[in-house]
Amino acid sequence: MATTNEPPLDEIQWRHPSEAQKIGGIHSNSVLFYFAESPFFDRTSNNAVIFSQAIFNPNMAHLISTREAFEGRLKQMSGLEFIVAQEPAEMGPGMGTGVWVINKQTRRKREPEDEIIVHATYYVIGENIYMAPTLADILSFRMVTITDALGKCFSAADKARTWSPSLGHGYKIARSTTNSKEKALESKGATPMPEAQGNKAAAEPKKTTQSALDSRLVEHSFMIHMQYGGDYMDENPITGKPGEFHLTSTGRKDKLQTLALPNLDTSFKKSALSEPEKKDVKGEKTPKTPTGMSKLKRKKSKPGATPTSA
C-alpha cells in the first residue's frame, strides 16, 4: 500500500531491465507478466489468481504460455482484470511503435455481452511503464496553467497603469524601438556627455521620490474623502485673505440689487380734467385800484442828456 511520502502513480515512471531480459524481452506473450512486476499491478486481480494457479497446477500451465489463452481464461471470469487494449501499430516489416496499451477494468457477466468498467489505462513503451492521467487531472492542470497565465497578465497590466489625483487613470506609453541603422546614423552631437549621464542618474532618484509623494498624496486624498465625503460647502463661502475675510454675499448682494433698481418717479401726473381748472386759476387777475388809475410807470433817463427848462 502506498504511503503518503510516495508520489502519485500517474507521476512516476517504472522500468526493470533485468526482469525484461529474464522473460526474453517484451513481446505479446510476456507484456502482461512484465506489467505484473510493476507497482501499478493489483495482486488481488484475476491475473494474479490465474498465474499462481498455473504455476502450481500443471494442467493449467498452457494458460500462461500464450497471451490469447491467458486473456481467454480472463474473459470467462468476472472481477478485476488487466488486459491488453491495443497492440503496437505496424509501421513496416518488422517495425512498430512499441507502445502497448493496458486497461485496468472490472468485468461483470451479463447477457448477451459482459459489462466492462474501465478504471485506469497504462502505457508500456519499451521497458518503461506509465499511467495515463485521468480527465479530471488534465482539466485541473489546464485550469492551473490558465490561472497562472492570467495572473501574470494582470500583474503586467497593473504595472503599466498609472494614477494621479489630477489626471486620474492612465497607461504608460511603450517606447518606440528604432533600428540599429537609424541609431548608427544619428549625429554624434546627440551622444550624452558624462555630465548628462550624471544628471540622468540623479533624475532617477527624483522620479522615485515623486512616485512616493504621489502615493502619499493618494492616501491623503482618500483619507479626506472618507472623513469629509458627506459634507457640503457653505452657501456663503468665505473669501479674501488673512485679516480681510468676509462672506461673498455680505454687504454686496443688497448693494448690487439697489444699484440695479431704476429710479422710480413717485409724482402723480396731472390728468386732462385738471387742466381747465388750472387755466381758470391762472385767468384770475388782481382787481384794479378803486381810483381807476393804474400805477405810473417810471421812465428811464438816457445818459448824457440833461433836462431843459421850459
Side-chain angles (χ1 to χ4, degrees), residues 17-286:
S18 60
E19 185 64 25
Q21 294 178 0
K22 181 180 178 181
I23 60 178
I26 299 174
H27 47 82
S28 177
N29 296 330
S30 63
V31 62
L32 289 177
F33 302 110
Y34 179 73
F35 180 82
E37 301 296 331
S38 67
F40 307 106
F41 186 74
D42 191 348
R43 306 298 173 182
T44 62
S45 62
N46 292 338
N47 298 55
V49 173
I50 296 175
F51 185 76
S52 61
Q53 290 178 354
I55 291 177
F56 298 101
N57 189 356
N59 297 330
M60 299 180 64
H62 67 282
L63 297 177
I64 60 176
S65 59
T66 60
R67 182 169 65 87
E68 289 75 9
F70 189 79
E71 290 183 350
R73 179 60 178 173
L74 288 174
K75 292 178 181 179
Q76 296 177 1
M77 304 172 64
S78 61
L80 183 64
E81 63 184 13
F82 292 88
I83 195 169
V84 175
Q86 294 182 10
E87 298 180 359
E90 293 292 336
M91 304 296 294
M95 299 176 60
T97 58
V99 178
W100 298 81
V101 180
I102 299 177
N103 284 347
K104 177 182 180 180
Q105 59 189 25
T106 299
R107 182 184 299 272
R108 296 176 181 176
K109 306 302 290 183
R110 296 287 186 272
E111 293 294 341
E113 294 182 356
D114 298 341
E115 179 184 357
I116 297 176
I117 301 175
V118 179
H119 303 292
T121 302
Y122 306 91
Y123 298 96
V124 181
I125 304 175
E127 297 178 352
N128 302 323
I129 300 179
Y130 307 89
M131 179 180 179
T134 61
L135 179 61
D137 295 336
I138 296 174
L139 293 179
S140 177
F141 176 76
R142 295 298 182 185
M143 292 178 64
V144 170
T145 304
I146 294 173
T147 304
D148 183 65
L150 288 176
K152 294 179 180 178
C153 177
F154 292 149
S155 61
D158 187 65
K159 292 179 181 178
R161 185 182 61 179
T162 59
W163 186 86
S164 63
S166 59
L167 300 179
H169 292 279
Y171 291 90
K172 298 178 182 178
I173 301 175
R175 298 180 180 178
S176 58
T177 57
T178 57
N179 297 330
S180 58
K181 295 182 179 180
E182 296 179 358
K183 292 182 178 181
L185 294 176
E186 289 181 356
S187 176
K188 294 182 179 180
T191 304
M193 299 300 291
E195 293 79 2
Q197 293 179 357
N199 294 337
K200 183 178 180 180
E204 293 180 355
K206 183 177 180 181
K207 184 178 180 181
T208 305
T209 306
Q210 182 66 26
S211 61
L213 292 176
D214 291 342
S215 301
R216 292 290 301 277
L217 182 58
V218 170
E219 295 177 1
H220 183 67
S221 302
F222 183 73
M223 182 185 67
I224 293 177
H225 171 73
M226 295 299 295
Q227 187 174 2
Y228 303 103
D231 298 344
Y232 296 91
M233 187 180 291
D234 193 2
E235 296 181 357
N236 299 330
I238 298 175
T239 59
K241 57 185 179 179
E244 297 182 3
F245 291 116
H246 55 79
L247 298 176
T248 55
S249 62
T250 302
R252 291 186 179 185
K253 188 180 293 185
D254 298 338
K255 185 176 180 180
L256 293 175
Q257 292 179 358
T258 305
L259 293 175
L261 291 175
N263 294 328
L264 300 178
D265 187 6
T266 57
S267 62
F268 294 96
K269 293 183 179 181
K270 297 181 179 180
S271 61
L273 297 176
S274 62
E275 292 296 331
E277 296 178 359
K278 182 178 180 182
K279 292 180 179 179
D280 296 341
V281 173
K282 290 184 178 180
E284 293 181 357
K285 299 182 179 180
T286 56

